[in-house]
Amino acid sequence: MGKTTFASALARFSASTGKKTLIVEMDDKGALAHALNTSELQFAAREVAPNLFAMSMNTEDSLREYIRLFVRNPLVNTFGPLAKILDFVANAAPGVKEILAVGKLCWEVREHNYDIVIVDAEATGHIVAQVDAPSILSNLVQVGVIREQTKWMQEILHDKATTGVVIVATPEEMPVLETMQLLDTLQNTTNVGVSAVVANRVHDDVVQGGDVAVFNSLWQAVQSNNMVNDVSEALRAPMRLLNVATQRRRNEVENLEQLVARSRQGGVMFMSVIDIDTRDIDVVTAMTQVLKDELQ
Amino acid sequence: MSALRSVLENGRLVVVTGSGGVGKTTMSAALGAFTASQYNRRVLVLTVDPARRLADALGLESFGNAVVEIEASALTQNGVPAAGRLFAAMIDTKASWDELIERCAPNADVRDKVLSNKLYRNLTERFVHSHDYIAMERLFEAQQSPDYDLVIVDTPPSRNALDVLDAPRRMKEFFASRLLKLLTTQAQSRLFSLAAKPFFLVADRILGARFLTDITEFFTLFRTMEDGFVKRANEVEAVLKQNDTSFMVVTTLESAPLHEAEFLIDALRERGYSLNTVIANRVTPLALVSQAQIALSKLETSIQDPAFVQAVVKATEGVEPSAEQISRVVSSIARKSAEAVRKGGAEQVTLDALHKRSADSQAELCICTISGAEIARASALVALGESVHPA
């Protein structure tokens, strides 16, 4: 979908406006480091460009930090590898792994360590479980440290001026469908706000406005051999090739219309980013420019 | 005959993997529809998240956990009736889990307790791996069923496409874990276990005592089903390695899905699964790219030629375009198709590399070219499946 690219562009844009920015990769796949053109990211944030800090989420490190900060249990070091226990608890108790990740993000926000925290989240299917983890857990857990923790996390996550989800989708059928489902789920079952829906890799029209009729009649003439041979030969293959793009564009427009309508209805900002076809790092640069033009 | 066709004609189970958004679901349905139309086989397509249009194309009101048969007439191709039959079902994680519990629970009491447990409901609905496990479970059930000759499974989008295949092993490991035993060997003995003490102290403090009790209760119930789950996990693993099971990797030629595909190709082979086919989806037709490339040089020299412009004016007489419009449209065609040709050329390089990579893993690379056309009817799915050809 171009989620990592978009998050990187947003972070670079934000850093360029002088905001101290933290960008976090949640799925540990290394794509963010690639997009930011930097070496492997760690749990400890590193300044990769002026004002731009980057880190990679790791729930085990997060748990260590959490225990150090909140539980202050001297026994922590006596029960061996934390990873094993964490794995077990995370498997057994829904939301624990999620809350360790979300908790770390909320912590950075609460402590005002940065002006803005941008999260390159995991795939669509996981996001609800993550942003809603504090609420889910507070329903399941009656007392204890976590219960108290979920309170301030929810305050941060549920404040629409502080936290917002940005959904990035390509204008194809499945991603658009997923996006609309995600909008429904977020708006109906959670208190987390959606800031924007971004349609990425939107293709340009081959021709626009009144030129469409000219293009179409030319296409008809070429198809029906209604032209001087030389001319139709020069036009036929290029137009056939473009026709693939035109048909795809027609589907895109239909999908985009649905997406725009659904976004508006939910009061969500919608923007589209035109197809940028270059190497990964250049895409980030190009997209950062698009964001500057759009948002400033 | 292509390896893909041979699998569709003779295979028993096809597992379709690939990164999200590459058209896996549509591809699974297309190959299923083609097989049912071409061969005298009963084909079941198990999908995770079918698009509305796909359900429409299959003539289905709605997709559900239950298997439905696609109207035979919908598969008729150029007046030729389908040789086989097509079935489809969508895996509903929650409903599938409930069925599984009903089957594995040793008695009605355990069943009811599990089904009404708060943790269970959260686990099945929110827990990511529960989708993976249940997909494997449904796959096995379908593969064992005498009602189908071929089962095509579209795998759920995961953090990692292999999570799905690892789900049975994970389930076994879960039941075997020391900590599960510790947690479920009720309070009486665990208080005496010195080793466990720090764990419970910290866990109690972090999670809250009540929560830990809830977890304990749930997993004590869950453990009574251990035998059923472990047996099933072993069976699923065996089925995945059977001779008549084959894997397929679907990808587009964009860098991220391609990266995932390359990872999958290696990982599947490492784990000893039989990777039969790699499908490059939404490929620009090569022949068209080279034709356009040849035509383009002609077009670029003709643009200034008055005779050419006149021919265009004549061809578009009906819409009476202005001179600027004509020049704008023609130069747009030249510019945009040159761009498409360049992209097509780059795709070819990528495709060659993928071809080599597939051949190195003894897999056949197949191509499905982009049509841009909408899949509105089952016959369009059949045609799409038929169009998949070896590179």
Side-chain angles (χ1 to χ4, degrees), chain A residues 29 122 145 173 211 255, chain B residues 53 159 205 298 328:
Chain A
K29 276 189 175 170
E122 283 169 287
V145 184
E173 189 191 4
D211 292 355
N255 294 327
Chain B
R53 261 182 237 164
R159 261 167 246 230
R205 206 137 161 228
K298 200 180 280 178
R328 198 163 54 223

Side-chain angles (χ1 to χ4, degrees), chain A residues 218-219 221-239, chain B residues 295 298-299 308 311-312:
Chain A
L218 197 55
W219 173 233
V222 168
Q223 271 180 310
S224 56
N225 274 331
N226 224 347
M227 287 176 100
V228 189
N229 241 351
D230 253 19
V231 177
S232 68
E233 247 172 56
L235 283 170
R236 185 178 297 116
M239 286 191 86
Chain B
K298 200 180 280 178
L299 182 62
F308 176 87
V312 173

Side-chain angles (χ1 to χ4, degrees), chain A residues 85-114:
Chain A
I85 290 172
L86 173 68
D87 236 30
F88 174 76
V89 174
N91 274 323
V96 166
K97 216 161 192 162
E98 282 82 2
I99 204 150
L100 285 169
V102 172
K104 165 71 177 170
L105 300 174
C106 290
W107 173 253
E108 298 297 338
V109 173
R110 187 175 100 161
E111 295 301 300
H112 298 287
N113 290 336
Y114 300 92

Side-chain angles (χ1 to χ4, degrees), chain B residues 202-217:
Chain B
V202 173
D204 266 9
R205 206 137 161 228
I206 298 177
L207 298 170
R210 174 76 205 139
F211 190 39
L212 205 60
T213 318
D214 284 350
I215 294 177
T216 306
E217 242 172 52

Side-chain angles (χ1 to χ4, degrees), chain B residues 39 97 131 142 174 205 240 246 256 283 375 377 382 384:
Chain B
Y39 308 111
W97 264 107
H131 300 284
F174 177 69
R205 206 137 161 228
L240 291 177
S246 57
V283 177
I375 306 286
R377 282 169 303 127
V382 176
L384 183 68

